[in-house]
Amino acid sequence: MQYEAVIGLEIHVQIKTRTKMFTAAPYEYGAAPNTLTDAVVLGLPGTLPVLNHTAIEKCAKLGLMLGCEIAEVCKWDRKNYFYPDSPKNYQLTQNEEPLCIGGKVEIELPGPSRNVEGEHRWVALNRIHLEEDPGKLTHEAFETVIDFNRAGVPLAEIVTEPDMSSSAEAVAFLNCLRNMIVYAGISDCDMEKGQMRCDANVSLRPVGSDKLGTRTEMKNLNSISNVKAAIEYEIERQTEILEEGGSITQETRRWDVESGTSFSLRSKEEAHDYRYFPDPDLMPVQMDRARVAELEAELPERPLDKQRRYQEELGLPFTITSVLCVDRELSEFFEEALKTHNAPKQIANYITNDLLRELSAVSEHGESAHSVSQSKLTPAHIATLAKIIDEGVISKQIGKEVFTEMFATGEMPDAIVEKKGLKQSNDTGEIEALCREAIAGNAKAVGQYKDGNEKALNALKGPVMKATKGKANPAMLDQLLKKLIDEGE
């Protein structure tokens, strides 16, 4: 029997706020253990929670970004469980009335090659609800260290429908989701820092069946590569069990990165196991519709919408848009440069090729500048360079030299050209004399050109460019070489 996978994801995203969800205790990654707590975080007697309004608004923005309906009213429930990372022995969450309902995420699957755009499809969401993060457990050889710094941090849980069928779709979903969340400034989504974590629910069913199989849950996957590996392993594991006539046990499993295998953690809990009940200390939250409309107006353009716009309106290829549009800072840098000089393809090429190459080289050497905002270049640098090339002041070849210099020094390109005497030579007499020398010295290339090989001209251009130190006007050089060869026939 042939089986198909059915996959649903639960993604936990730490919302970027100065303080925690129900208290003024601060939070920052990397602080000394148990230094960012207070009586509310630790659940001491006599304490009461106080809502973080910024967290609620940012979660609402997340829902709007993902096409959710924002509830008129959402309320808080206690999810009761006894575990060392939960100091109160319950978690404040939204079980019955979440803030965000429904929604969908557009994903882009890998194309047949790296340079070819893949298929787009939508993945349906069930809900997004707010809750508080538990603490962090670090398991060592003979003990477990508990750090409550993370406890109480506002957490958005994004729950998909069982709407994916492969690890490739899950990876595409996580990449697109992360891009949109970072674009909207809701979270940095750094999985290494625990700002984004994923649980993967996997089940199998006979191909063509509408009935869902028994699912298992892979818990707390902390990288996209781990999500991919864990899903593929679970599909293979369940397939072997079913083909041997066995049955799947509904359970929570833990992924072991080192061995590339999973093991059973506990039988899967149902909702009644948590004994949910409304929290008596927190009033329901009524969402002001005017404020929701304001939040929606603040949303940035979605990355894939921007990619389509760049392709359709600016004529940029997928190879460029797939780099520009995943990074909001990079795309805004690009659009700012266009205000100075409207040359989309040229400016985009400088940003995605030259600028990113230089930034990458800096990062590899361990220096501090590794992002656009930390470099010495501004959009005006790139736009001005493109402009003086278009005006014929310098050639594209000289432009590469100028780019390297302005990246290192922060000087404007026109100032570098003036200082180094790099202006393009338009002296017809000088260039014509050099062209005649090149033609006389390379009869083979001349013959190849006469036989219809246009590329043979490159062998003649080289000596001229070398003699003029790259300053010969390429367009003029092309014209003169062709004219002189034709005249010599």
Side-chain angles (χ1 to χ4, degrees):
M1 185 178 292
Q2 295 294 310
Y3 295 98
E4 64 180 4
V6 180
I7 300 163
L9 301 179
E10 298 169 17
I11 303 94
H12 298 83
V13 174
Q14 282 187 355
I15 294 177
K16 187 161 56 174
T17 55
R18 190 174 54 83
T19 58
K20 296 186 179 181
M21 187 68 232
F22 299 107
T23 174
Y27 177 70
E28 59 179 289
Y29 178 79
N34 296 308
T35 56
L36 304 179
T37 65
D38 64 7
V40 177
V41 170
L42 297 175
L44 299 183
T47 58
L48 289 172
V50 178
L51 279 177
N52 184 331
H53 287 247
T54 300
I56 294 169
E57 289 197 344
K58 283 197 169 186
C59 187
K61 281 184 83 168
L62 171 59
L64 293 166
M65 192 79 175
L66 304 185
C68 301
E69 175 192 345
I70 306 304
E72 296 279 347
V73 176
C74 61
K75 74 176 185 65
W76 304 95
D77 303 287
R78 290 188 181 184
K79 179 181 181 180
N80 296 275
Y81 65 91
F82 303 94
Y83 207 61
D85 63 5
S86 178
K88 301 191 295 280
N89 286 328
Y90 66 83
Q91 180 187 33
L92 284 169
T93 184
Q94 295 177 332
N95 178 50
E96 291 186 357
E97 298 182 39
L99 178 59
C100 308
I101 305 157
K104 59 183 180 178
V105 173
E106 183 183 8
I107 67 172
E108 181 180 277
L109 294 164
S113 70
R114 191 175 175 184
N115 295 332
V116 179
E117 186 170 358
E119 175 194 352
H120 286 224
R121 66 166 292 243
W122 293 89
V123 173
L125 302 182
N126 177 278
R127 60 191 277 162
I128 304 173
H129 60 263
L130 263 173
E131 58 189 25
E132 55 181 344
D133 215 350
K136 182 181 179 182
L137 301 180
T138 303
H139 301 286
E140 299 181 353
F142 300 105
E143 60 186 9
T144 295
V145 177
I146 307 173
D147 181 6
F148 288 126
N149 278 353
R150 198 175 72 184
V153 170
L155 203 64
E157 181 170 350
I158 303 159
V159 183
T160 79
E161 296 289 0
D163 198 24
M164 289 165 275
S165 59
S166 69
S167 62
E169 287 188 337
V171 167
F173 174 85
L174 289 171
N175 281 325
C176 291
L177 177 69
R178 182 169 60 182
N179 286 346
M180 283 197 285
I181 294 171
V182 173
Y183 250 65
I186 292 158
S187 173
D188 293 331
C189 290
D190 189 330
M191 295 187 82
E192 289 185 5
K193 295 179 180 179
Q195 295 168 352
M196 181 174 171
R197 311 188 292 278
C198 181
D199 302 339
N201 294 286
V202 181
S203 66
L204 296 187
R205 65 184 176 191
V207 172
S209 172
D210 292 330
K211 186 179 178 182
L212 294 174
T214 302
R215 66 186 171 91
T216 60
E217 180 183 38
M218 291 287 192
K219 199 74 176 169
N220 285 333
L221 299 167
N222 61 1
S223 74
I224 291 179
S225 61
N226 284 344
V227 172
K228 181 178 186 295
I231 288 174
E232 290 173 355
Y233 174 84
E234 188 59 14
I235 291 172
E236 186 177 338
R237 187 187 73 85
Q238 290 189 25
T239 301
E240 288 180 5
I241 292 172
L242 292 173
E243 286 180 344
E244 292 172 3
S247 59
I248 306 300
T249 302
Q250 184 168 320
E251 61 185 349
T252 298
R253 300 179 68 85
R254 185 177 292 281
W255 178 246
D256 183 3
V257 178
E258 292 186 8
S259 67
T261 60
S262 68
F263 58 90
S264 181
L265 194 63
R266 58 181 178 268
S267 61
K268 179 61 182 167
E269 302 93 338
E270 302 289 352
H272 64 260
D273 293 321
Y274 291 117
R275 296 180 295 111
Y276 287 101
F277 65 86
D279 185 85
D281 297 328
L282 287 164
M283 295 291 290
V285 177
Q286 187 166 351
M287 299 300 294
D288 180 78
R289 306 325 287 179
R291 181 57 184 150
V292 170
E294 289 173 359
L295 294 173
E296 188 166 21
E298 294 171 3
L299 293 178
E301 185 178 21
R302 294 173 179 85
L304 290 178
D305 289 340
K306 182 177 288 186
Q307 179 169 289
R308 273 186 289 272
R309 178 167 64 84
Y310 283 5
Q311 291 172 350
E312 294 166 7
E313 295 180 11
L314 303 180
L316 297 180
F318 171 72
T319 49
I320 294 292
T321 60
S322 60
V323 176
L324 270 184
C325 297
V326 297
D327 187 326
R328 182 176 177 180
E329 183 181 49
L330 205 62
S331 62
E332 288 179 349
F333 186 97
F334 165 70
E335 293 191 16
E336 191 62 32
L338 290 184
K339 294 176 183 177
T340 300
H341 182 59
N342 190 23
K345 290 182 181 178
Q346 193 175 348
I347 289 173
N349 272 312
Y350 272 124
I351 293 172
T352 58
N353 295 319
D354 300 79
L355 178 56
L356 291 185
R357 183 191 63 242
E358 294 291 347
L359 289 171
S360 177
V362 168
S363 296
E364 285 175 8
H365 288 91
E367 297 174 33
S368 59
H370 58 273
S371 71
V372 174
S373 60
Q374 291 173 301
S375 79
K376 295 175 182 176
L377 294 191
T378 65
H381 282 88
I382 305 286
T384 304
L385 178 59
K387 187 170 184 286
I388 61 178
I389 289 173
D390 285 346
E391 290 173 349
V393 176
I394 60 172
S395 66
K396 287 184 180 178
Q397 190 61 35
I398 293 293
K400 292 184 179 297
E401 180 185 337
V402 173
F403 189 97
T404 304
E405 176 79 9
M406 72 180 189
F407 180 86
T409 64
E411 284 187 84
M412 289 298 289
D414 42 4
I416 294 170
V417 169
E418 195 65 38
K419 179 178 72 176
K420 293 195 164 188
L422 298 174
K423 280 187 180 178
Q424 192 163 252
S425 173
N426 290 305
D427 186 335
T428 309
E430 179 195 8
I431 295 173
E432 183 174 331
L434 291 168
C435 285
R436 290 184 185 279
E437 285 180 26
I439 291 169
N442 198 335
K444 181 181 176 183
V446 172
Q448 289 173 336
Y449 172 74
K450 287 180 177 180
D451 290 339
N453 184 359
E454 286 272 343
K455 291 183 179 178
L457 277 184
N458 292 333
L460 302 174
K461 291 179 192 175
V464 180
M465 280 296 187
K466 186 176 180 182
T468 61
K469 297 181 179 178
K471 295 179 188 177
N473 185 318
M476 179 187 291
L477 181 55
D478 253 12
Q479 261 184 340
L480 281 171
L481 283 170
K482 289 176 182 178
K483 176 173 172 279
L484 292 171
I485 292 173
D486 290 342
E487 287 175 353
E489 288 182 343

